[in-house]
């Protein structure tokens, strides 16, 4: 088994879900909900990946 860290890991999934919902909402107001979803997904993935990388560096 892997040794567990004493620090609580950070959660990046909240950024992903918030960015998708915000992207859809903004896209809906512009008449492009699908494009808003895709842009929100991209932004959310970048934020979640950044959070994961920071957390990975912090726990090492």
């Amino acid at each position: 088994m892997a040794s567990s860290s004493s620090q609580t890991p950070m959660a990046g999934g909240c950024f992903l879900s918030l960015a998708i919902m915000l992207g859809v909402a903004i896209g809906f107001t512009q008449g492009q909900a699908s494009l808003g979803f895709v842009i929100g997904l991209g932004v959310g993935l970048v934020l979640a990946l950044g959070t994961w990388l920071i957390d990975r560096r912090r726990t090492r």
Side-chain angles (χ1 to χ4, degrees):
M1 288 206 155
S3 64
S4 63
S5 176
S6 63
Q7 296 177 343
T8 304
M10 298 188 324
C14 63
F15 295 125
L16 181 59
S17 61
L18 289 174
I20 290 172
M21 290 189 294
L22 189 60
V24 169
I26 292 172
F28 182 75
T29 63
Q30 302 296 317
Q32 296 288 329
S34 297
L35 184 60
F37 175 81
V38 172
I39 292 171
L41 178 63
V43 170
L45 285 173
V46 168
L47 291 173
L49 181 63
T51 302
W52 176 74
L53 289 172
I54 290 170
D55 186 48
R56 186 171 178 228
R57 183 181 306 163
R58 184 177 62 112
T59 57
R60 285 188 173 205

